[in-house]
């Protein structure tokens, strides 16, 4: 007997945290559902992780698949990687 139930997968993307963002999130990486904008995702992450990460996200830069993200309103595709880069001190 074989199970013919369709496999249901959730399309996700990966969020990677660096430096102060990693400390504020309490982790280096996590996944979140795809198909939403960067603004939607950062709002969700702020709620999930609290005020400390929210403050970092307000001043962070974001790379989507290695490219600086200037459009915070377009839905991001499944499989994308978002890098959260807080401002770095020094030169």
């Amino acid at each position: 007997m074989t199970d013919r139930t369709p496999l249901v997968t959730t399309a996700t993307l990966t969020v990677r945290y660096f430096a102060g963002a990693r400390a504020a999130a309490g982790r280096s990486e996590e996944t979140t559902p795809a198909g939403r904008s960067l603004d939607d995702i950062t709002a969700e992450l702020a709620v999930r992780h609290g005020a400390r990460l929210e403050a970092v996200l307000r001043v962070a830069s974001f790379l989507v698949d290695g490219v600086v993200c200037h459009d915070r309103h377009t839905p991001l595709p499944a499989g994308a990687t978002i890098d959260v880069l807080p401002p770095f001190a020094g030169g």
Side-chain angles (χ1 to χ4, degrees), residues 8-84:
V8 177
T9 59
T10 302
T12 62
L13 50 85
T14 302
V15 179
R16 299 188 305 185
Y17 300 104
F18 293 88
R22 178 183 297 161
R27 64 189 65 215
S28 61
E29 185 175 291
E30 66 184 303
T31 60
T32 191
R36 298 173 300 139
S37 71
L38 185 58
D39 278 346
D40 294 336
I41 292 165
T42 56
E44 174 207 328
L45 296 173
V47 168
R48 184 184 301 173
H49 296 292
R52 189 170 167 207
L53 182 61
E54 182 178 17
V56 172
L57 293 172
R58 280 195 302 265
V59 297
S61 297
F62 300 92
L63 302 180
V64 177
D65 291 335
V67 178
V68 174
C69 181
H70 296 292
D71 180 359
R72 297 178 59 103
H73 304 290
T74 299
L76 299 174
T81 299
I82 300 170
D83 293 331
V84 180

